[in-house]
Amino acid sequence: MTAQPHRITVIPGDGVGPEVVRSAQRIIAAAGVAVDWEEAEAGAEVFKRGDTSGVPRETRASIERTRVVLKGPLETPVGFGEKSANVTLRKLFETYANVRPARELPGVPTRYAGEGVDMIIVRENIEDLYAGIEHMQTPDVAQCLKVITRKGSEKIIRYAFELARREGRAKVTCATKANIMKLTEGLFKRTFEQLSVEYPEITAEHLIIDNVAHQMAKNPVQFDVVVTTNLNGDIISDLASGLVGGLGFAPSGNYGDGVAIFEAVHGSAPKYAGKDVINPTALILSSLMMLRHIGETAAAAAIEDAVLVTLEEGKAVTQDLARQTGGDVEHAASTTGFSDSIIANLGRRPATVPSRADATPPASPATRRPSWAYGPEVSAAVERRTIGADIFLESWAAPGEAGPALAALAGDVLLLQMVDSRGTMVFPDTGLNPDAVGVLRARFVAREDGVAVSDADIAGLLGRVGERFAWTHVEKLHVFAGEPSYTKAQGQ
Amino acid sequence: MTAQPHRITVIPGDGVGPEVVRSAQRIIAAAGVAVDWEEAEAGAEVFKRGDTSGVPRETRASIERTRVVLKGPLETPVGFGEKSANVTLRKLFETYANVRPARELPGVPTRYAGEGVDMIIVRENIEDLYAGIEHMQTPDVAQCLKVITRKGSEKIIRYAFELARREGRAKVTCATKANIMKLTEGLFKRTFEQLSVEYPEITAEHLIIDNVAHQMAKNPVQFDVVVTTNLNGDIISDLASGLVGGLGFAPSGNYGDGVAIFEAVHGSAPKYAGKDVINPTALILSSLMMLRHIGETAAAAAIEDAVLVTLEEGKAVTQDLARQTGGDVEHAASTTGFSDSIIANLGRRPATVPSRADATPPASPATRRPSWAYGPEVSAAVERRTIGADIFLESWAAPGEAGPALAALAGDVLLLQMVDSRGTMVFPDTGLNPDAVGVLRARFVAREDGVAVSDADIAGLLGRVGERFAWTHVEKLHVFAGEPSYTKAQGQ
């Protein structure tokens, strides 16, 4: 209980959003936490009024004041917005850490019940393929940039280790595809290895992402905290939710340097809207993450216990659960009734699962700025030179024709090192004969080892190549700190 | 039984490879299939002899003759090869379809036992992020190209539909992240939708990949055939294996236009090598896929029945299974003993699960060439123009400084449309203030709508920009058939 009420922005959202949000608000009030809610709008109605972001200026202003958001699901009506308002909110406030606990709950029947699944997926939320940078190279060849930065990696990995430390968790697993993507996923893995030494009390392990998915199905209790890149995290956090009862029980928090947004993972479920039947557990569990974030750990533990008691006793069971357990769907608890039961159970402790009331984690804010140095001076200190360029061409020419033609265009400073198709070298001939798709990459490097190639050299090359071929995309080949900073083609 | 023996290349491979391969060979012989095996080498010993591909010329020549390979797992010893020999083999023969059945087996205890999981994951095996095209944009920013082509998508999707038709399967699910990656994953999804009309008897559905992972954990029997891009497929095929007993029971086939390679998914497990203890089921199941591929469907069904009988009776149980079932690990069956039991059970039918002997699928080869037209004439027929360029810069400049400076460099033909950081627009100012990572993208477009931008215009722009900023990467902005063929930034 606090003297000063907390100011929190609440976005009821679309569909069942208002019902699950009201449910959480009532329970928080019953637990004695004083909140000055700033109600704000986002989602379907906003889009329909012509705001293509789905997030009005007043809502942004409220969040800038309160720094904490509890929100229901938002819809992006077809034909109104190009980007989801949920995603826009995360981008607006750069909530880089998507935290998805997946914990076994009593009374929720799953194939893994009784095993004690209790893991937290920490997903990078800003970069990777979700930067959404796509270019058609030809009418039939699409490209998306997967971008992984050291700074972005440090922030999320540090976040995961700090979370593990704060919650007394023993292990952090890093999940990547670094064996295939040595530069991007490899950067994430190497950053993890470097940071892990700062957390000697925590076991740090790396697993390949496909093995993580395999192990989650086979033996999920081995996982504690899992930190991973954006797309990997998207997939395995939904997988993890599936192990412990599905999206109806899946809370989430999005943490940035200043702002945190708490929401259920499920959608707006319009067909249940306004019927007082939806299971509000996911949003209630999300609100517990919020209470811990603002320092109301005792209230969070009390509500958590009351939720656990309600689920384990099974007296108030919402329709979705009744359906799964073969219970009486017709006489199932309403959203309101289920919430009333939780309120009635405040002060009780669960009988079959441990309470977290006695293991209250410290309330320190979860976010921590990167502690490594970044910036122009740091970048400038890295010894570097450009040693060539990759030019991507729209071309159906046979490698035996394209190769010599490109080699003849290389000029005095550069030479053609190889030509590939979708990453497999086709010139010089290696006996490989991959199916042509209409794009070739020509790699040109300095004729003399160690010589730096200038912008003028590359411009000249582009001009010569452009007279015979339609180029679409150019990458400089850098050597940073003496290391070639690009990958070889298959067969090269 | 055939008059003429089949010629098949067999690569025993590393670790436990020779044992599991011999096991399959013995069972195939006992089932009466005459094979002229061409034994060939690949993997650790080849790398150690200095062949950096791990796949010697004689092995390639054998495969070119036989077109069919049965292989054990291959190791890439640290410090010898840069690329895995397993991957090199798939690339060499462009086996674009990775087929991973996940079927419940009797006697194999899993949490899903008795539900009847029986799905096939069809994974694109050549393109996507696995083309391995990576470039460091700065010392701290890594990039990998995700490449999806219409032709590659058509090939794998057509493969999946043909497989479903051949095996009498009712549904094909397409799994993508098209809601986020509208051009790349979207191309795969649109191709799926266009092709599905050619297969009216098969139910075609699309699910977002994270939902697929979620549903596989919650309700896997809903899946029949699942077709997906390379990375998605990597993750969910291992997940699917985890539902039905793990990699010890996970077969796979890699199909190309001319060559097919059959292998177990598991590794070489060196600590079990030579001990006659490894479970050979995965490789035996892979060899059944091979027998069906070469038309020996009756023998395949007989062996499959014998494997099912052996597993369901549980008299010969290998160590790994004994460990899982709490059985007698010390007196578990050897690799040889387990294989002997399968041979002894040839001719019997399983009691608890259906035999596939009566539902023999036709033996038509699985591969089918794309039937849409690709090539220079088709590309050239697409109305097109270049309307600008994205230039990626190494820069820590504040957006308020970089923006006007870049705008001033745009010249007479082009103008600066926006600047972004990791896909989020930072200039013109939108109130977004994302964390800087040292790379900005500047988007320049034609000042006059509809005007085409020439290579010379872009070269001039690059020259001007290059005098003030260090550019690292350039993408042309194309309009194909009247459609802008690039995505907008968040906030744009």
Side-chain angles (χ1 to χ4, degrees):
Chain A
M1 258 168 260
T2 49
Q4 188 78 17
H6 300 278
R7 294 183 80 181
I8 296 173
T9 301
V10 59
I11 301 174
D14 298 315
V16 297
E19 293 162 75
V20 297
V21 165
R22 298 287 172 247
S23 165
Q25 286 178 299
R26 282 177 55 220
I27 294 168
I28 289 169
V33 180
V35 178
D36 183 0
W37 299 98
E38 293 196 4
E39 190 153 324
E41 213 187 358
E45 292 307 315
V46 180
F47 282 116
K48 288 180 186 163
R49 283 206 307 269
D51 181 331
T52 57
S53 76
V55 184
R57 190 159 292 275
E58 308 82 63
T59 300
R60 301 182 192 198
S62 169
I63 297 172
E64 272 159 24
R65 276 193 302 274
T66 65
R67 318 301 278 170
V68 181
V69 183
L70 183 66
K71 70 176 274 293
L74 306 179
E75 279 169 40
T76 305
V78 174
F80 286 88
E82 284 211 357
K83 306 263 180 182
S84 133
N86 298 301
V87 173
T88 296
L89 268 171
R90 288 177 218 151
K91 294 265 185 188
L92 270 169
F93 297 99
E94 190 139 308
T95 54
Y96 63 85
N98 180 241
V99 177
R100 290 274 301 269
R103 183 182 175 201
E104 178 180 332
L105 294 167
V108 179
T110 75
R111 296 173 189 78
Y112 298 84
E115 297 183 24
V117 171
D118 179 12
M119 68 176 106
I120 303 179
I121 311 295
V122 178
R123 166 188 171 193
E124 201 287 323
N125 217 11
I126 300 292
E127 52 189 38
D128 197 359
L129 293 152
Y130 292 69
I133 306 170
E134 296 188 283
H135 296 88
M136 297 301 293
Q137 303 287 297
T138 74
D140 286 344
V141 176
Q143 175 193 287
C144 185
L145 300 184
K146 176 184 171 78
V147 177
I148 302 289
T149 72
R150 189 184 306 272
K151 191 179 187 185
S153 301
E154 185 192 343
K155 283 173 80 168
I156 192 69
I157 292 164
R158 204 172 275 290
Y159 183 94
F161 275 114
E162 293 287 327
L163 174 69
R165 179 173 277 177
R166 206 168 58 248
E167 297 211 353
R169 288 177 175 263
K171 186 168 77 169
V172 178
T173 302
C174 175
T176 77
K177 196 69 196 177
N179 54 333
I180 296 289
M181 288 168 271
K182 294 181 200 297
L183 299 188
T184 48
E185 294 275 302
L187 177 59
F188 195 86
K189 175 171 183 265
R190 288 189 299 278
T191 304
F192 177 80
E193 288 161 353
Q194 289 173 282
L195 281 171
S196 65
V197 301
E198 296 184 30
Y199 301 87
E201 80 280 18
I202 297 169
T203 301
E205 69 171 8
H206 175 266
L207 294 181
I208 295 295
I209 183 65
D210 38 316
N211 189 27
V212 170
H214 185 72
Q215 296 297 330
M216 279 198 182
K218 279 202 77 173
N219 183 29
V221 294
Q222 72 186 283
F223 294 107
D224 197 341
V225 174
V226 181
V227 65
T228 187
T229 49
N230 207 336
L231 177 64
N232 291 339
D234 191 2
I235 297 173
I236 63 168
S237 61
D238 266 20
L239 166 54
S241 303
L243 304 173
V244 294
L247 297 186
F249 300 91
S252 84
N254 297 280
Y255 300 84
D257 287 327
V259 167
I261 302 171
F262 300 89
E263 60 191 335
V265 177
H266 61 69
S268 59
K271 76 171 174 173
Y272 296 112
K275 296 190 178 155
D276 199 24
V277 297
I278 199 76
N279 178 351
T281 306
L283 205 275
I284 295 168
L285 295 177
S286 304
S287 77
L288 299 183
M289 297 174 74
M290 180 187 77
L291 291 177
R292 293 197 164 101
H293 177 70
I294 61 175
E296 292 284 357
T297 51
I303 297 173
E304 186 169 71
D305 281 350
V307 171
L308 295 172
V309 168
T310 307
L311 289 172
E312 82 184 352
E313 290 191 342
K315 292 179 192 161
V317 169
T318 46
Q319 277 190 5
D320 57 320
L321 252 185
R323 217 170 281 124
Q324 282 178 56
T325 53
D328 185 350
V329 176
E330 226 166 287
H331 299 95
S334 65
T335 308
T336 308
F338 181 75
S339 311
D340 288 342
S341 295
I342 293 171
I343 291 170
N345 285 325
L346 281 168
R348 296 180 62 194
R349 292 286 181 97
T352 62
V353 292
S355 160
R356 286 206 283 185
D358 304 320
T360 305
S364 64
T367 54
R368 185 166 154 194
R369 298 286 304 170
S371 54
W372 295 349
Y374 303 88
E377 327 75 48
V378 181
S379 298
V382 177
E383 185 269 316
R384 60 181 57 208
R385 60 183 193 279
T386 302
I387 61 110
D390 281 350
I391 304 182
F392 296 76
L393 313 161
E394 180 172 357
S395 174
W396 291 93
E401 287 164 31
L406 286 158
L409 300 167
D412 301 331
V413 178
L414 294 149
L415 59 80
L416 179 74
Q417 189 176 56
M418 66 103 194
V419 179
D420 79 1
S421 170
R422 288 190 295 184
T424 297
M425 184 162 89
V426 295
F427 180 86
D429 185 30
T430 59
L432 299 174
N433 187 23
D435 205 13
V437 294
V439 171
L440 296 174
R441 168 176 58 162
R443 172 162 289 176
F444 295 92
V445 297
R447 282 185 184 273
E448 283 181 59
D449 237 20
V451 169
V453 171
S454 71
D455 276 13
D457 295 330
I458 295 173
L461 175 69
L462 263 184
R464 292 190 297 278
V465 169
E467 282 174 27
R468 292 233 10 216
F469 293 90
W471 69 265
T472 181
H473 165 182
V474 180
E475 299 276 351
K476 278 188 186 164
L477 298 177
H478 302 285
V479 174
F480 293 124
E483 290 291 320
S485 297
Y486 47 88
T487 49
K488 287 185 180 175
Q490 180 80 30
Q492 192 184 352
Chain B
M1 265 174 254
T2 49
Q4 189 79 18
H6 300 278
R7 294 183 82 180
I8 296 173
T9 300
V10 59
I11 301 174
D14 297 316
V16 298
E19 294 163 72
V20 297
V21 166
R22 297 290 171 244
S23 165
Q25 287 179 298
R26 282 176 56 219
I27 294 168
I28 290 169
V33 180
V35 178
D36 184 0
W37 299 99
E38 292 195 5
E39 189 154 323
E41 215 186 356
E45 292 307 315
V46 179
F47 282 115
K48 287 180 185 163
R49 283 205 308 269
D51 181 331
T52 55
S53 77
V55 184
R57 191 159 291 275
E58 308 82 64
T59 300
R60 301 182 192 199
S62 169
I63 297 171
E64 273 159 22
R65 275 193 302 275
T66 66
R67 320 300 279 169
V68 182
V69 183
L70 183 66
K71 70 175 273 292
L74 305 179
E75 280 169 37
T76 305
V78 175
F80 286 89
E82 287 210 358
K83 305 263 182 182
S84 134
N86 298 303
V87 174
T88 296
L89 267 171
R90 287 176 218 153
K91 292 268 185 185
L92 271 168
F93 297 100
E94 190 139 307
T95 54
Y96 63 84
N98 179 240
V99 178
R100 291 274 301 270
R103 184 182 173 201
E104 177 181 332
L105 294 167
V108 179
T110 76
R111 297 173 188 79
Y112 299 84
E115 299 183 22
V117 171
D118 178 13
M119 69 176 103
I120 304 179
I121 312 294
V122 178
R123 167 188 170 193
E124 202 287 323
N125 216 11
I126 300 292
E127 55 189 35
D128 196 359
L129 294 152
Y130 292 70
I133 307 171
E134 295 187 285
H135 296 89
M136 296 301 293
Q137 303 287 298
T138 76
D140 287 344
V141 176
Q143 173 194 287
C144 185
L145 301 184
K146 175 182 172 79
V147 178
I148 302 289
T149 71
R150 188 184 305 273
K151 191 179 186 185
S153 300
E154 184 191 345
K155 283 173 81 169
I156 192 70
I157 292 165
R158 205 172 273 291
Y159 184 95
F161 275 114
E162 293 287 328
L163 174 70
R165 180 173 276 179
R166 208 169 57 247
E167 297 210 354
R169 288 176 175 264
K171 185 168 76 168
V172 178
T173 303
C174 176
T176 76
K177 196 70 195 175
N179 54 333
I180 296 289
M181 287 169 270
K182 295 181 199 295
L183 299 188
T184 49
E185 295 276 301
L187 177 59
F188 195 87
K189 175 171 183 264
R190 289 189 297 277
T191 304
F192 176 80
E193 289 161 351
Q194 288 173 285
L195 280 170
S196 65
V197 301
E198 296 185 29
Y199 300 87
E201 80 279 20
I202 297 169
T203 302
E205 69 171 6
H206 175 267
L207 293 181
I208 295 296
I209 182 65
D210 38 318
N211 189 27
V212 169
H214 185 73
Q215 296 297 331
M216 278 197 181
K218 280 202 75 172
N219 183 28
V221 295
Q222 73 186 283
F223 293 108
D224 197 341
V225 173
V226 181
V227 65
T228 186
T229 50
N230 206 337
L231 177 64
N232 290 339
D234 192 1
I235 297 173
I236 63 167
S237 61
D238 266 19
L239 166 55
S241 302
L243 304 173
V244 294
L247 298 185
F249 300 91
S252 84
N254 296 280
Y255 300 83
D257 287 326
V259 167
I261 301 171
F262 301 89
E263 60 191 335
V265 176
H266 62 69
S268 59
K271 75 171 176 173
Y272 295 113
K275 295 189 178 155
D276 199 24
V277 297
I278 198 78
N279 178 352
T281 305
L283 204 275
I284 295 168
L285 295 178
S286 304
S287 77
L288 299 183
M289 297 174 75
M290 178 186 79
L291 292 177
R292 292 195 165 104
H293 177 70
I294 63 175
E296 291 285 356
T297 50
I303 296 173
E304 185 169 71
D305 281 350
V307 170
L308 295 172
V309 168
T310 306
L311 289 171
E312 84 183 352
E313 289 191 343
K315 292 179 191 162
V317 170
T318 47
Q319 277 189 6
D320 57 319
L321 251 187
R323 214 169 283 124
Q324 283 179 53
T325 53
D328 185 352
V329 176
E330 225 167 286
H331 298 94
S334 64
T335 308
T336 309
F338 181 76
S339 310
D340 288 342
S341 295
I342 293 172
I343 291 171
N345 285 325
L346 283 167
R348 296 181 60 196
R349 292 284 181 98
T352 62
V353 290
S355 159
R356 285 208 283 186
D358 304 319
T360 305
S364 63
T367 53
R368 185 166 155 194
R369 298 288 302 171
S371 54
W372 295 349
Y374 302 88
E377 325 76 47
V378 179
S379 298
V382 177
E383 185 270 317
R384 58 179 59 206
R385 62 182 191 278
T386 301
I387 60 108
D390 281 350
I391 305 183
F392 294 77
L393 313 161
E394 180 173 357
S395 174
W396 291 93
E401 287 165 32
L406 286 158
L409 301 166
D412 300 330
V413 177
L414 294 149
L415 59 80
L416 179 74
Q417 189 176 56
M418 66 103 192
V419 180
D420 79 1
S421 169
R422 291 189 294 184
T424 296
M425 184 162 88
V426 293
F427 180 88
D429 185 31
T430 58
L432 300 174
N433 187 23
D435 205 13
V437 295
V439 171
L440 295 174
R441 168 175 60 161
R443 172 161 290 176
F444 295 93
V445 297
R447 282 186 184 271
E448 283 180 59
D449 236 21
V451 168
V453 171
S454 71
D455 277 13
D457 295 330
I458 295 173
L461 174 69
L462 262 184
R464 291 189 299 277
V465 169
E467 280 174 29
R468 292 231 13 215
F469 294 90
W471 69 265
T472 181
H473 164 182
V474 180
E475 298 276 351
K476 278 187 186 165
L477 299 177
H478 301 285
V479 173
F480 293 124
E483 288 292 319
S485 297
Y486 48 89
T487 49
K488 286 185 181 174
Q490 180 80 32
Q492 194 185 350

